[in-house]
Amino acid sequence: MIDEYVLEMKEIQKEFPGVKALQNIHFQLRKGEIHGLVGENGAGKSTLMKILAGIYTHDSGEIQFLGNLQKVLTPKIVEKLGIHFIHQERHVVPYLTVAESLFLGIENKFASFNLLKRRTMEKEAEKVLFEKVGVNLSGKKLVGDLSVGEKQLLQICRALLQDPKVIVFDEPTAVLAKREADQLFNIIKELKNKGISIIYISHYFGEILDICNRITVLRNGINVKTTETKGLTIEDIVYLMTGRRIGNEIPTKARHIGDVLLNVKDFTQSQQFHDVNFQIRKGEIVGITGLMGSGYTDLGMSIYDNSRITNGFVEFEGKRLTKNNPENAVALGMGYIPEDRRNLGILQNMSVRENITLTSLKSVSKGGVIKRKLEREKVDSIIDKLGIRTPNQKTTINYLSGGNQQKAVLAKWLSSNASLYILNQPTAAVDVSTKAEIYNLITQVAKNGAGVLLITQDLQELVTLSDRILVMYRGKVVREFERDNATTDQIMVSMMGGSNDESSSSNN
Ligand SMILES: Nc1ncnc2c1ncn2[C@@H]1O[C@H](COP(=O)(O)OP(=O)(O)OP(=O)(O)O)[C@@H](O)[C@H]1O
Ligand SMILES: [Mg+2]
């Protein structure tokens, strides 16, 4: 029974201008298995899944679903077949409510209520969301106001309402905290037990080994191996994926910590956080974390744009910032890399080169004229350093794979000579070799005297890079760790509101 394939993709080829994205790919999915799909940024994972989703058409090859040849796939047909996607780019309509986006288009499955009965629908949404994915969300809330993780749970829940046969997760945990990720794994294991097949794309190989039965490894558009996970190690996966063994040379050298650069005082944004106080010094990396909804991501954004601040203030280089907005912030020397890079981080429809240089035009221009040669060279060196996979500098950034877009956004800021960097989940979605490279870059800017606010769910990353770590819980900073006495376990306890030390000041 287990050998029954729900899905077979055979000899799939796909070429984009200048890129052979997929070459002769064979991919078989068994009924009720969790199948990991891994590979470096740009290896072809999302492309293969977008072909399955009917978003791209393959140049050649064939796809069989439950033994039937599928000549034409469109998103509608695919959904009818029972194949659902939690995509890497989270296409959600921001002005719909939670209830609307959960039920819209599948209302007929809920004959028990009338869509026009708004309150009934909202109540039902709240109930279903709690039952299926264990999340408490108001049905009235606008999708645009949800965190990335909440949007994702919403999409999962929507798939679950439609009798799925296959669910594809494209990097579901990239921006989830451990607790939310564990919750997701429980959901995924339940799905598997019901006979649903799961395709799971991730750069977190520990998770892959924990939950997947088999993996398929892609390298440069080629399937290098499909194998059982039993007996595999993380090093084995990295080797299959890159063809090399990667050491983890993470930089931890001591840096010179200078004067106070940023002073955050009684900072309050009514719904998100209150009475937050901390400082960042020149050359210092301050990490901050918390659970989804604890306010720690809003805090980073509000330093950059304080229009929603209700109390308290920020001083930057000794000057109090009354009205700070993104434009002003950039002029002052702040760089901000948002969590939702798709909407806020990249300049859509512009080239890789423009995306990288726009924040640092000054350094490549003279008397207002951009020096093209200098610009080209600078961009080339960045592309090379971070291994950004792109046909050339003029390629539109939207055509890059998710991880490569992320690299370009980072490159843009980290080459901008800002004096303060606010980095929100800087390595979500990047592969292992790039992660080390980004850690080096972050350490390097701090070494050169910049301050860094590192906002991340990745506790290992937090401990690796930070000089000090702040933990938020329900809108408050409840704990501060110095670099030498922080462990991921202790941080986790604080994130959950637990105090494992009398110096903790939490009382809610
Ligand atoms: N619409 C497109 N137009 C042109 N090139 C594209 C397009 N979509 C993907 N590509 C290219 O195809 C290759 C494979 O990209 P894909 O998005 O499948 O990678 P991935 O394995 O999902 O990587 P990541 O881990 O970064 O998400 C990349 O070189 C990418 O630049
Ligand atoms: Mg991808």
Side-chain angles (χ1 to χ4, degrees):
M1 194 59 183
I2 187 87
D3 270 335
E4 186 189 354
Y5 293 124
V6 249
L7 170 73
E8 291 186 81
M9 300 178 84
K10 297 179 187 164
E11 293 177 42
I12 302 291
Q13 308 260 13
K14 178 70 183 175
E15 202 168 325
F16 296 111
V19 187
K20 283 192 176 144
L22 297 173
Q23 302 178 54
N24 206 13
I25 296 286
H26 281 262
F27 179 78
Q28 293 172 313
L29 182 66
R30 291 174 180 160
K31 186 163 189 288
E33 78 167 337
I34 306 178
H35 194 125
L37 190 53
V38 302
E40 287 187 290
N41 294 134
K45 305 176 296 292
S46 295
T47 302
L48 187 66
M49 290 304 107
K50 283 178 182 166
I51 287 171
L52 180 62
I55 295 172
Y56 294 158
T57 46
H58 42 301
D59 303 336
S60 61
E62 64 176 55
I63 298 174
Q64 291 200 352
F65 190 70
L66 295 173
N68 302 316
L69 183 64
Q70 304 296 325
K71 285 235 163 83
V72 184
L73 289 179
T74 65
K76 272 224 170 100
I77 293 175
V78 169
E79 196 172 65
K80 276 233 173 82
L81 291 172
I83 309 176
H84 298 273
F85 294 83
I86 313 300
H87 281 295
Q88 185 172 25
E89 299 95 18
R90 295 161 181 93
H91 303 279
V92 287
V93 187
Y95 47 82
L96 291 183
T97 64
V98 164
E100 286 164 345
S101 58
L102 189 60
F103 295 128
L104 226 62
I106 53 172
E107 306 90 332
N108 54 344
K109 296 206 164 57
F110 300 87
S112 60
F113 65 86
N114 178 334
L115 246 199
L116 294 173
K117 287 193 183 149
R118 187 158 275 284
R119 192 57 208 136
T120 320
M121 181 174 80
E122 286 163 3
K123 277 232 168 83
E124 182 70 13
E126 286 160 13
K127 187 169 142 243
V128 168
L129 276 162
F130 188 72
E131 280 172 12
K132 302 258 182 206
V133 293
V135 69
N136 272 312
L137 272 185
S138 157
K140 279 201 201 56
K141 208 165 176 183
L142 289 183
V143 172
D145 291 334
L146 300 181
S147 72
V148 180
E150 288 167 339
K151 284 179 199 159
Q152 193 195 338
L153 288 174
L154 187 66
Q155 280 189 56
I156 296 171
C157 188
R158 190 180 148 93
L160 292 181
L161 294 174
Q162 300 176 74
D163 185 23
K165 304 250 178 337
V166 173
I167 302 185
V168 179
F169 291 88
D170 197 343
E171 297 193 41
T173 60
V175 293
L176 295 188
K178 173 113 178 40
R179 192 177 73 161
E180 283 105 17
D182 287 344
Q183 181 188 359
L184 178 68
F185 297 149
N186 288 333
I187 297 173
I188 290 179
K189 284 178 197 153
E190 272 172 40
L191 296 173
K192 170 195 148 82
N193 292 339
K194 285 184 190 148
I196 297 169
S197 307
I198 308 289
I199 299 173
Y200 189 86
I201 301 181
S202 176
H203 293 290
Y204 293 91
F205 303 141
E207 295 175 358
I208 292 266
L209 291 177
D210 279 348
I211 68 163
C212 294
N213 305 99
R214 295 195 302 158
I215 57 167
T216 287
V217 183
L218 300 186
R219 191 198 305 168
N220 287 326
I222 294 168
N223 178 352
V224 289
K225 192 157 189 138
T226 295
T227 177
E228 304 283 331
T229 49
K230 215 170 180 181
L232 274 193
T233 64
I234 291 183
E235 288 72 25
D236 295 334
I237 300 182
V238 172
Y239 185 66
L240 285 170
M241 203 175 98
T242 61
R244 12 178 233 281
R245 304 262 170 209
I246 294 178
N248 31 347
E249 319 106 25
I250 302 299
T252 48
K253 283 187 211 100
R255 287 179 301 275
H256 174 70
I257 308 284
D259 297 337
V260 174
L261 177 69
L262 184 82
N263 184 17
V264 176
K265 191 90 187 105
D266 302 333
F267 217 36
T268 303
Q269 184 164 302
S270 51
Q271 301 297 318
Q272 282 76 30
F273 51 83
H274 2 263
D275 302 318
V276 174
N277 290 287
F278 69 94
Q279 298 182 330
I280 300 179
R281 294 173 170 272
K282 290 182 180 160
E284 190 180 34
I285 301 177
V286 175
I288 187 160
T289 194
L291 292 180
M292 206 192 282
S294 64
Y296 78 105
T297 50
D298 306 286
L299 179 65
M301 176 72 203
S302 298
I303 292 170
Y304 192 71
D305 176 357
N306 65 9
S307 55
R308 288 157 73 194
I309 288 301
T310 48
N311 192 31
F313 59 88
V314 161
E315 281 172 353
F316 184 62
E317 300 197 304
K319 280 195 218 89
R320 187 160 163 169
L321 307 181
T322 38
K323 274 208 187 101
N324 205 25
N325 54 45
E327 222 169 46
N328 194 28
V330 172
L332 287 170
M334 291 185 184
Y336 175 67
I337 295 177
E339 175 181 21
D340 193 351
R341 62 178 183 277
R342 185 128 189 109
N343 292 323
L344 305 168
I346 66 170
L347 305 163
Q348 308 260 359
N349 302 317
M350 292 182 87
S351 70
V352 173
R353 182 194 297 165
E354 287 163 320
N355 265 279
I356 291 177
T357 58
L358 221 66
T359 50
S360 56
L361 273 185
K362 260 195 235 130
S363 67
V364 290
S365 56
K366 201 176 171 192
V369 182
I370 300 174
K371 292 163 97 183
R372 291 292 168 200
K373 184 157 172 283
L374 188 65
E375 184 187 25
R376 261 200 317 275
E377 285 169 3
K378 190 172 169 196
V379 172
D380 263 341
S381 97
I382 290 170
I383 287 177
D384 186 51
K385 199 163 176 188
L386 282 183
I388 298 175
R389 202 168 293 187
T390 178
N392 58 58
Q393 301 190 358
K394 287 192 226 150
T395 304
T396 309
I397 194 154
N398 308 44
Y399 294 157
L400 266 52
S401 79
N404 283 300
Q405 291 184 14
Q406 173 77 348
K407 291 188 214 175
V409 172
L410 272 163
K412 163 177 106 171
W413 285 114
L414 294 178
S415 64
S416 73
N417 295 323
S419 47
L420 174 71
Y421 292 94
I422 302 172
L423 310 175
N424 200 341
Q425 323 286 357
T427 60
V430 305
D431 60 43
V432 278
S433 31
T434 312
K435 214 168 185 175
E437 203 49 65
I438 289 175
Y439 289 171
N440 271 314
L441 274 177
I442 294 174
T443 314
Q444 195 56 49
V445 296
K447 228 175 174 175
N448 293 343
V452 176
L453 181 61
L454 172 70
I455 303 167
T456 182
Q457 303 270 28
D458 186 331
L459 300 187
Q460 196 52 54
E461 171 168 304
L462 201 67
V463 172
T464 304
L465 291 176
S466 312
D467 297 302
R468 264 183 316 127
I469 294 166
L470 309 174
V471 180
M472 288 186 74
Y473 179 72
R474 293 197 190 280
K476 287 201 160 174
V477 174
V478 293
R479 187 79 203 265
E480 184 173 328
F481 294 92
E482 290 299 323
R483 98 169 292 148
D484 295 328
N485 59 23
T487 66
T488 53
D489 286 351
Q490 281 178 317
I491 295 172
M492 186 106 71
V493 172
S494 308
M495 284 167 65
M496 312 271 202
S499 54
N500 43 13
D501 181 311
E502 62 280 11
S503 70
S504 165
S505 59
S506 161
N507 53 8
N508 57 9

